């Protein structure tokens, strides 16, 4: 334990510890894979529960470890319900029953956010530390607006603007005009997506934290939409040079391919010979795009995580902070992926443990945990059909 200053005075600061190992998780992971293959996928819910339980039981805070009480059977029943609904939807497609298809799609759009929040609630109710369980409840209307309404509105406006620039590019006759128009349109689209993601992040994590409880103690966080949008916009701006370079390589190549198609006159062998020198450029442009996307995502993940944890608090003068860095996350992510590729993903358990340990050891809790008055709530998981269905979505990510 260390003590640093946060706010007006000094308070004890503890960080999470992960006591598991790559070897220990490898055994769990290997058994999960084998049993899932042997049972043709039927064991997957139990495999997911066992994996999550391993990480929870090896996560320690202030000398206490978390526990996870969900069962594979409960998840399996939820998946059966989802599978039955999907089968009904496919039958309607086969028999061209458009009315029922539209009705089911509308019900999906309306009720999916509620099902996700109920799945999150089940996750929290199954999570415990110090003999006290967590809880989560969000307003259905609030959940729908955060997960469906607001993103759809922003995405629709962004798409309309991009289509406008796309049509303008289609009517241009010069290469420079097409490149500039597409570049501006792509930039506008990226900024629109960034704005949508920033608003969504602020509302989603605000809803998640402000409706979360530990026993009868409530969490809270005052998240600024402006700050979240700024983080996502900056990450997108990091992406822009990579996209510009990729387009600079791809667009001339596309023009050359169209000319080669005319020269080949429908001869596939001749066409393949003509465009062979372009394969390297196209592959390189794809690599540039992927690298840019990874850097963009990692920057947004790190900055958003540090900001959100810095704004979180728990009743009883408990605060939180995150000290992960972009450089370290990038290094761990890239080396993990390389090791997984070299080992044909046999090193995946080691990579997951390595990344989890880094995140936990850089997640801090500020305050006097021993002075908290802990009292468990009496909420139990609902067992009605809708909530059983929601348990099939209980692996929607809740942590960050």
């Amino acid at each position: 334990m260390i003590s640093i200053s946060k706010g007006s005075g000094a308070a004890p600061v503890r960080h999470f510890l992960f006591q598991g190992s790559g070897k220990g998780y490898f055994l769990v992971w290997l058994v999960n894979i084998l049993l899932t293959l042997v049972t043709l996928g039927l064991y997957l819910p139990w495999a997911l529960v066992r994996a999550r339980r391993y990480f929870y039981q090896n996560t320690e805070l202030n000398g206490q470890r978390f526990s996870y009480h969900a069962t594979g059977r409960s998840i399996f029943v939820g998946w059966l319900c989802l599978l039955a609904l999907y089968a009904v939807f496919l039958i309607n497609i086969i028999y061209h029953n458009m009315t029922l298809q539209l009705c089911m799609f509308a019900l999906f759009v309306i009720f999916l956010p509620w099902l996700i929040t109920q799945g999150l609630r089940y996750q929290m109710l199954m999570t415990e530390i110090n003999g006290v369980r967590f809880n989560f409840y969000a307003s259905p209307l609030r959940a729908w607006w955060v997960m469906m309404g607001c993103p759809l509105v922003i995405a629709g406006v962004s798409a309309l603007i991009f289509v406008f620039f796309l049509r303008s590019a289609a009517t241009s006759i010069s290469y420079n005009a097409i490149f500039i128009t597409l570049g501006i349109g792509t930039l506008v689209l990226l900024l629109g997506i960034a704005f949508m993601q920033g608003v969504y992040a602020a509302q989603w994590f605000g809803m998640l934290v402000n409706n979360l409880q530990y026993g009868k103690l409530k969490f809270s966080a005052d998240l600024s939409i402006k700050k979240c949008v700024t983080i996502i916009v900056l990450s997108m701006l990091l992406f822009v040079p990579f996209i510009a370079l990729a387009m600079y390589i791809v667009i001339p190549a596309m023009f050359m391919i169209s000319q080669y198609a005319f020269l080949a006159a429908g001869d596939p062998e001749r066409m393949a010979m003509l465009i062979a020198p372009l394969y390297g450029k196209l592959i390189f442009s794809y690599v540039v795009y992927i690298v840019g996307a990874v850097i963009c995502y990692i920057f947004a993940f790190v900055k958003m995580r540090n900001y959100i944890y810095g704004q979180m608090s728990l009743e009883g003068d408990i605060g939180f902070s995150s000290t992960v860095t972009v450089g370290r996350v990038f290094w761990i992510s890239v080396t993990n992926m390389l090791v997984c590729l070299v080992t044909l993903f046999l090193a995946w358990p080691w990579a997951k443990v390595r990344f989890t340990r880094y995140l936990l050891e850089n997640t801090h809790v500020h305050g006097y945990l021993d002075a908290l008055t802990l009292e468990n709530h009496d909420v139990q998981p609902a067992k009605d059909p809708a909530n059983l269905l929601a348990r099939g979505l209980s692996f929607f990510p809740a942590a960050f």
Side-chain angles (χ1 to χ4, degrees):
M1 183 184 75
I2 60 175
S3 180
I4 63 175
S5 178
K6 184 179 181 181
S8 58
V13 181
R14 297 170 174 84
H15 62 77
F16 291 86
L17 295 173
F18 186 71
Q19 305 291 7
S21 65
K23 179 182 178 181
Y25 181 52
F26 179 81
L27 297 175
V28 175
W29 175 79
L30 183 61
V31 171
N32 284 345
I33 293 292
L34 294 176
L35 290 178
T36 300
L37 292 175
V38 169
T39 60
L40 301 179
L42 294 178
Y43 185 75
L44 185 56
W46 285 268
L48 293 174
V49 168
R50 288 185 72 237
R52 176 167 286 182
R53 185 172 294 145
Y54 178 84
F55 281 92
Y56 277 45
Q57 291 178 345
N58 284 284
T59 298
E60 181 180 308
L61 176 64
N62 195 29
Q64 299 293 323
R65 296 197 183 190
F66 287 81
S67 57
Y68 186 64
H69 302 290
T71 63
R73 179 178 176 275
S74 63
I75 308 299
F76 182 69
V77 171
W79 283 14
L80 286 180
C81 296
L82 291 171
L83 183 61
L85 290 177
Y86 182 65
V88 172
F89 184 72
L90 288 181
I91 291 172
N92 288 324
I93 291 177
I94 293 172
Y95 288 97
H96 305 289
N97 194 331
M98 185 60 67
T99 301
L100 285 179
Q101 288 181 49
L102 292 176
C103 288
M104 291 190 70
F105 182 75
L107 290 173
F108 174 81
V109 171
I110 293 171
F111 288 105
L112 179 62
W114 178 82
L115 290 174
I116 289 174
T117 57
Q118 291 303 105
L120 289 173
R121 189 182 198 194
Y122 179 72
Q123 282 190 56
M124 295 298 104
L125 289 173
M126 294 296 102
T127 304
E128 179 184 303
I129 186 173
N130 282 312
V132 177
R133 290 177 295 140
F134 291 82
N135 190 17
F136 173 79
Y137 178 78
S139 162
L141 288 178
R142 176 65 176 168
W144 187 88
W145 172 250
V146 169
M147 284 186 266
M148 286 288 185
C150 186
L152 286 174
V153 170
I154 299 174
V157 173
S158 300
L160 288 174
I161 295 174
F162 181 70
V163 168
F164 169 77
F165 281 99
L166 197 62
R167 288 183 176 179
S168 299
T171 58
S172 302
I173 57 176
S174 69
Y175 166 75
N176 288 334
I178 292 175
F179 183 81
I180 292 173
T181 306
L182 282 177
I184 295 175
T186 302
L187 179 60
V188 171
L189 180 63
L190 287 175
L191 291 176
I193 294 173
F195 181 77
M196 178 183 69
Q197 290 181 336
V199 172
Y200 173 79
Q203 296 194 18
W204 166 253
F205 288 108
M207 181 185 72
L208 183 63
V209 175
N210 289 306
N211 291 284
L212 182 64
Q213 290 181 226
Y214 174 52
K216 294 189 176 181
L217 301 176
K218 295 182 178 180
F219 287 85
S220 62
D222 184 17
L223 301 181
S224 166
I225 291 179
K226 179 181 178 181
K227 177 67 174 180
C228 292
V229 170
T230 300
I231 291 173
I232 301 298
V233 168
L234 289 175
S235 71
M236 286 293 186
L237 291 177
L238 285 176
F239 197 16
V240 169
F242 294 92
I243 293 179
L245 178 58
M247 291 178 63
Y248 183 77
I249 298 170
V250 168
I251 291 179
M254 291 296 103
F255 272 99
M256 294 181 68
I257 289 174
S258 64
Q259 294 175 359
Y260 290 157
F262 177 76
L263 294 174
D267 185 350
E269 293 185 2
R270 187 181 180 189
M271 181 67 182
M273 292 178 60
L274 289 172
I275 66 174
L278 299 177
Y279 287 149
K281 291 184 177 180
L282 294 175
I283 293 173
F284 179 71
S285 66
Y286 183 74
V287 171
V288 168
Y289 178 86
I290 293 299
V291 170
V294 170
I295 293 175
C296 169
Y297 174 79
I298 289 175
F299 177 88
F301 171 81
V302 169
K303 297 300 181 182
M304 192 69 71
R305 187 182 199 274
N306 290 348
Y307 172 66
I308 291 169
Y309 274 99
Q311 298 299 115
M312 280 178 56
S313 63
L314 176 67
E315 285 181 322
D317 294 325
I318 302 299
F320 300 86
S321 64
S322 169
T323 54
V324 297
T325 63
V326 175
R328 186 62 179 166
V329 171
F330 180 79
W331 168 252
I332 292 175
S333 300
V334 171
T335 52
N336 279 355
M337 181 55 66
L338 290 176
V339 171
C340 286
L341 291 174
V342 169
T343 61
L344 300 178
F345 281 87
L346 287 176
W348 167 252
W350 171 83
K352 185 172 178 61
V353 165
R354 182 188 181 208
F355 188 68
T356 300
R357 178 176 286 112
Y358 174 73
L359 291 182
L360 290 174
E361 291 181 351
N362 284 277
T363 304
H364 310 282
V365 182
H366 303 249
Y368 297 93
L369 294 175
D370 296 329
L372 285 178
T373 302
L374 299 180
E375 185 179 357
N376 211 351
H377 56 74
D378 56 0
V379 179
Q380 297 297 325
K383 297 182 180 180
D384 56 274
N387 274 279
L388 291 178
L389 175 65
R391 292 182 189 182
L393 299 173
S394 64
F395 279 87
F396 193 86
F400 189 63

